[in-house]
């Protein structure tokens, strides 16, 4: 009984939640995702009605860090006028490391969320079909995935909306 209670408490205190019933493919409704940090929590469901750029990255994955920098540059170019929500989810073991890299790379701190729990990271990677690398998604206003690993031009177009 103690093991079951401990497992339930662990699940409730995770820094992320994903819905395993949905696919992460173009044309599919994006899986449910909840990410939290000390000052806020965010759900994809709560962003319905807005276009969303959802990016997963880690300092250990060079391509995802480069992609994060391209996204940051596109965000700066779009300015504050964009109606598109940007959510960047970091999988580094240390939130401190994520914050240091975000500062060095001049990433928007308001869009950064950290998920360091190995179980939560594994669940997110599985649901968002990221066995072979981290990905970026463009999700439309209805919550449907439009693009996976968008080009720099596609990111600029999404942020211009």
């Amino acid at each position: 009984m103690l093991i079951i209670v401990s497992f339930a408490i662990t699940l409730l205190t995770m820094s992320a939640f994903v819905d395993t019933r949905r696919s992460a493919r173009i044309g599919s409704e994006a899986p449910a995702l909840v990410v939290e940090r000390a000052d806020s929590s965010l759900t994809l469901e709560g962003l319905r009605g807005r276009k969303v750029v959802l990016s997963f990255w880690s300092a250990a994955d060079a391509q995802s860090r480069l992609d994060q920098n391209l996204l940051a540059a596109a965000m700066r170019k779009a300015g504050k006028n964009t109606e598109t929500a940007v959510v960047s989810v970091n999988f580094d073991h240390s939130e401190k490391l994520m914050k240091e890299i975000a500062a060095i790379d001049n990433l928007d701190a308001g869009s950064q969320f950290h998920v360091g729990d190995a179980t939560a990271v594994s669940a997110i990677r599985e649901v968002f079909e990221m066995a072979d690398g981290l990905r970026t998604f463009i999700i439309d206003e209805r919550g449907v995935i439009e693009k996976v690993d968008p080009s720099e031009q596609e990111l600029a177009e999404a942020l211009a909306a």
Side-chain angles (χ1 to χ4, degrees):
M1 185 64 159
L2 180 61
I3 293 172
I4 293 171
V5 170
S6 297
F7 182 72
I9 290 171
T10 301
L11 285 177
L12 291 173
T13 61
M14 274 193 217
S15 61
F17 165 80
V18 287
D19 181 355
T20 59
R21 295 172 292 174
R22 297 185 191 157
S23 167
R25 297 193 176 111
I26 293 173
S28 297
E29 186 176 349
L33 174 69
V34 178
V35 288
E36 299 175 341
R37 59 181 175 213
D39 64 340
S40 63
S41 68
L42 182 136
T43 68
L44 283 181
E45 185 72 29
L47 294 172
R48 288 278 168 92
R50 294 178 70 188
K51 186 170 286 231
V52 177
V53 175
L54 173 63
S55 179
F56 296 96
W57 71 284
S58 168
D61 183 308
Q63 184 60 55
S64 72
R65 186 171 174 191
L66 289 171
D67 292 344
Q68 192 64 23
N69 278 280
L70 288 175
L71 175 57
M75 287 173 65
R76 284 190 291 276
K77 187 173 180 180
K80 299 290 183 194
N81 297 331
T82 185
E83 292 294 318
T84 302
V86 177
V87 180
S88 295
V89 180
N90 176 272
F91 290 154
D92 288 322
H93 294 291
S94 163
E95 185 173 7
K96 181 180 177 190
L97 173 64
M98 178 211 60
K99 288 179 179 181
E100 288 174 1
I101 290 173
I104 290 167
D105 289 353
N106 197 26
L107 305 178
D108 176 51
S111 67
Q112 301 296 320
F113 289 83
H114 177 258
V115 177
D117 177 81
T119 304
V121 169
S122 179
I124 293 169
R125 287 182 70 106
E126 182 178 333
V127 169
F128 281 90
E129 301 176 17
M130 296 186 290
D132 60 345
L134 301 179
R135 304 220 180 288
T136 298
F137 299 85
I138 297 177
I139 302 168
D140 73 11
E141 294 83 352
R142 299 170 296 133
V144 174
I145 297 172
E146 287 184 343
K147 303 276 183 194
V148 177
D149 295 330
S151 67
E152 195 171 348
Q153 177 65 32
E154 290 168 330
L155 280 175
E157 290 170 3
L159 291 169

